[in-house]
Amino acid sequence: MPSVLFVLTGADHWTLNDGTTHPTGFWAEELAAPHRVFTEAGYAVTLATPGGVTPTVDAGSLTATANGGQQQADAVAAYLDAIGPELRTPARLEDIRPDRYDAVFYPGGHGPMEDLAVSELSGRLLTTALDAGTQLGVLCHAPAALLAAHREDGSWPFAGYRMTGFSNAEESIGGLADKAPWLLEDRLVQLGADYTAATAFAPHTVTDRTLHTGQNPASSEQLAREIVAALAPTETPAETVDRLRCTFRTGRTKSLDWRTGQLRQLRALLTERGDELADALHADLGKSRKEAYRTEIDFTVREIDHTLEHLAEWLRPEPAPVPARLGGATARTVQDPLGVVLVVAPWNYPVQLLLAPVVGALAAGNAVVAKPSELAPATSAAVARLLPRYLDEDAVAVVEGAVPETTALLSEHFDHIFYTGNGTVGRIVMTAAAKNLTPVTLELGGKSPVFVDRDTDLKAVAGRLAAGKFLNAGQTCVAPDYVLTDPETAPALADALAAAVEGLYGADASTHPEYGRIVNRRHFDRLTALLGSGRPVTGGTYDRDAKYIAPTVLADVAPDAPVMREEIFGPVLPIVTVDGLDEAIAFINDRDKPLALYAFTESDTVRERLVAETSSGAVGIGLPLAHLTVSDLPFGGVGESGTGSYHGRYSLETFSHRKAVLDTPMSS
């Protein structure tokens, strides 16, 4: 029988910064809900405390207010009564051997802030369990116990781990932030944790390797279920693909009813569980709820609605003319599903860029393996949890993980691979696909230029340009990457951009709810290294702990400056001067073909020349990013920015084979 160790606080109070004590202990829901999940999953549960003392339940955690109503409060209290014998006589933590357990779980409450945060015994247990690969669950305030872990050289074993825990904002709402001797979020960040938080008191969990953390009491059941799932026997990628291929071969995914039914179910997921996805997006990228819905959730809903409206029409066989020598024959083309397809998504729009391709794959009648990005762990976990609840589990699978899992998937034989990300990995994907002659769609990136013509309305230009550039903190594959304009226009444009940024986000964007954060510290460090490439007109400030970089506009940027050598993918906008349109076109054509090219001009000649004399995935005149919202336009790159396209009917064609059918009567 699998087993789990619950380590509970032995403290019944928390000493505040003025020397007074706050009565506490463990939080009722944080023991009851995970204990029930593990017990129902067949686990033997052991409770332990330092010294074997009987743990104290925080009285506040038994109230109706803390439990969302009296009925739930009574249910939690009844569960604790049912496990009363275990609670009254816990094992001594000193006698515990962590290697005898499949998982170790720490419930929260303010108690761990008093004792487990400084317990060398608990710290050694956590370090041993971590090194042994034991699944660790640490909930709410219990990540305080991680603070006591250390190696012989004094280093912290959890440095660099993605994690969450009770946030400063939640402590403030609870009224104890000003009285606390220290705050958990601050301490974790100071020691080197990659800390994330969702909306206060919303369920939020983070998994990094074998460490599973939950932000608050609302995360209790979800965290336990994720650990149970992590310990459950899992399919290999080969088994997953084989299972889905068996489903595809039954023919059930080919009917229009199955296709539309799956699309409606996916729509239901997005509309019914949108807030859960928005919370995950906030945790991963600092996205506001408004931005999460506008650019990810509602965007994908519109793609589904457009597809549902037109799918039957798109699937109708298309007749083809027949030469006279084949008199009596008829010809047509039909759209055939490909089979089992793989969709690999990036982290910057982890809902939209995973599920929008899935819309096309399902509409085409395929079975789908969806691989969310491990760099957006909260969103990955949410998608992995929700998709199987709504879609046909025999035809749609989610595979989480990092490089090893993706590599294993790429070694399998798929009928199409759809990858969104960078060119380096794109080459790896294409190489792996070539072994099986698997067709690929690569949605990559590149440095998308903006040409600003003379005599344009610079206030209007700056407003639209800043909104497009700094959306999602600049982490958009089609974001304006750099600006080309003439030396006379550049200073005025720079000033207009500075004003536009302040108009969008105020004097301090770090306090604005609509401005996001950089996904992780590796990308943060890469971006801050580019800030010296020019003179900051606005921005240039940053906070590494918060992963915040101010919206930055750089003037006086040389064409060979570091910021011009790679796709920026962040909130830094350089302005490069050129003599005019001819030099701008030459500048663009001397570089890799971009995913998008933007222009602000009143001249028809300029429009026509940019379209005719440059090569890019798309051209947007007068408004960056907007072409993505037009479902009847293909979205895709060319050359270094990608191959293939999707959205609307183009998605159906990407995930289908257009089969030729010639029917010649035997009597002719």
Side-chain angles (χ1 to χ4, degrees), residues 189-210:
V189 171
Q190 288 166 8
L191 279 178
D194 187 357
Y195 176 90
T196 68
T199 304
F201 300 106
H204 175 51
T205 60
V206 173
T207 295
D208 188 347
R209 288 157 277 186
T210 57

Side-chain angles (χ1 to χ4, degrees), residues 59-359:
S61 69
L62 295 171
T63 64
T65 300
N67 288 279
Q70 191 60 49
Q71 183 176 0
Q72 181 61 21
D74 291 344
V76 169
Y79 193 89
L80 293 184
D81 286 343
I83 63 171
E86 297 176 59
L87 273 172
R88 286 189 289 273
T89 57
R92 284 169 26 97
L93 193 59
E94 292 82 351
D95 299 331
I96 291 295
R97 287 183 53 183
D99 60 342
R100 294 181 175 176
Y101 298 91
D102 299 286
V104 177
F105 195 94
Y106 279 65
H110 280 101
M113 305 280 278
E114 182 73 19
D115 62 348
L116 298 181
V118 294
S119 169
E120 292 187 7
L121 173 66
S122 172
R124 286 195 299 272
L125 184 150
L126 285 164
T127 303
T128 300
L130 179 72
D131 291 344
T134 304
Q135 301 292 323
L136 294 174
V138 195
L139 180 59
C140 196
H141 286 92
L146 303 180
L147 304 178
H150 59 83
R151 301 200 182 280
E152 291 184 3
D153 62 1
S155 63
W156 191 45
F158 298 96
Y161 273 72
R162 297 188 303 273
M163 65 180 70
T164 189
F166 206 68
S167 67
N168 291 353
E170 289 167 322
E171 206 72 82
S172 296
I173 293 169
L176 288 174
D178 292 338
K179 303 174 183 178
W182 48 273
L183 296 175
L184 178 59
E185 177 183 336
D186 290 346
R187 283 288 176 90
L188 292 173
V189 171
Q190 288 166 8
L191 279 178
D194 187 357
Y195 176 90
T196 68
T199 304
F201 300 106
H204 175 51
T205 60
V206 173
T207 295
D208 188 347
R209 288 157 277 186
T210 57
L211 176 66
H212 308 260
T213 51
Q215 183 174 324
N216 45 43
S219 311
S220 301
E221 180 174 338
Q222 179 177 317
L223 185 67
R225 291 196 183 282
E226 289 176 4
I227 296 172
V228 169
L231 287 165
T234 57
E235 286 183 321
T236 66
E239 290 169 339
T240 299
V241 174
D242 286 346
R243 177 171 59 83
L244 268 58
R245 195 171 300 284
C246 287
T247 300
F248 179 76
R249 286 175 176 166
T250 68
R252 98 175 183 219
T253 68
K254 297 182 179 181
S255 73
L256 180 61
D257 285 346
W258 185 90
R259 301 180 198 203
T260 56
Q262 293 300 295
L263 293 176
R264 290 190 178 98
Q265 282 296 102
L266 184 56
R267 189 185 197 282
L269 184 160
L270 292 164
T271 55
E272 295 170 4
R273 312 305 282 268
D275 285 354
E276 292 179 47
L277 294 172
D279 287 335
L281 290 165
H282 178 77
D284 287 331
L285 290 154
K287 290 192 182 188
S288 69
R289 189 166 296 265
K290 178 180 176 182
E291 182 178 328
Y293 270 92
R294 184 175 80 251
T295 66
E296 303 238 29
I297 298 164
D298 290 345
F299 182 101
T300 311
V301 168
R302 288 193 300 272
E303 184 73 9
I304 293 171
D305 289 344
H306 181 78
T307 302
L308 284 170
E309 180 181 357
H310 297 285
L311 184 56
E313 171 194 348
W314 293 341
L315 289 173
R316 289 193 190 106
E318 294 187 13
V322 177
R325 64 179 179 276
L326 293 175
T330 59
R332 66 188 185 276
T333 60
V334 295
Q335 299 275 24
D336 259 5
L338 295 175
V340 181
V341 303
L342 171 64
V343 176
V344 182
W347 52 262
N348 58 322
Y349 289 86
V351 171
Q352 181 211 135
L353 295 179
L354 179 70
L355 297 186
V358 167
V359 169

Side-chain angles (χ1 to χ4, degrees), residues 442-527:
L442 302 178
E443 296 293 344
L444 308 177
K447 295 183 74 64
S448 295
V450 182
F451 177 68
V452 178
D453 203 1
R454 294 180 174 89
D455 302 324
T456 53
D457 180 346
L458 294 184
K459 182 178 180 181
V461 169
R464 295 182 183 188
L465 184 50
K469 171 63 181 180
F470 299 113
L471 178 71
N472 197 30
Q475 298 166 120
T476 303
C477 59
V478 289
D481 190 274
Y482 63 94
V483 177
L484 297 174
T485 193
D486 61 272
E488 293 75 27
T489 303
L493 176 61
D495 291 342
L497 282 166
V501 168
E502 184 167 353
L504 283 170
Y505 303 114
D508 181 1
S510 69
T511 64
H512 198 283
E514 295 300 314
Y515 188 70
R517 296 297 183 267
I518 306 306
V519 65
N520 57 36
R521 288 184 174 83
R522 180 171 68 85
H523 283 282
F524 176 93
D525 292 341
R526 178 185 62 81
L527 287 164

Side-chain angles (χ1 to χ4, degrees), residues 581-628:
L581 179 62
D582 289 341
E583 188 175 337
I585 290 174
F587 191 97
I588 294 165
N589 289 339
D590 281 344
R591 287 155 177 80
D592 290 335
K593 296 177 180 180
L595 189 54
L597 184 156
Y598 303 113
F600 292 92
T601 180
E602 300 293 341
S603 168
D604 289 340
T605 300
V606 172
R607 290 183 176 92
E608 292 167 3
R609 287 192 61 193
L610 284 171
V611 171
E613 298 179 29
T614 64
S615 179
S616 60
V619 175
I621 298 170
L623 187 61
L625 278 62
H627 61 287
L628 273 73

Side-chain angles (χ1 to χ4, degrees), residues 393-451:
E393 286 188 84
D394 294 326
V396 181
V398 180
V399 175
E400 291 191 279
V403 173
E405 291 76 15
T406 305
T407 302
L409 280 173
L410 290 174
S411 70
E412 297 303 316
H413 185 185
F414 288 94
D415 298 290
H416 193 95
I417 298 175
F418 189 108
Y419 168 77
T420 303
N422 63 63
T424 300
V425 178
R427 287 174 170 82
I428 295 171
V429 170
M430 183 170 271
T431 300
K435 295 177 182 177
N436 293 308
L437 296 180
T438 299
V440 298
T441 300
L442 302 178
E443 296 293 344
L444 308 177
K447 295 183 74 64
S448 295
V450 182
F451 177 68

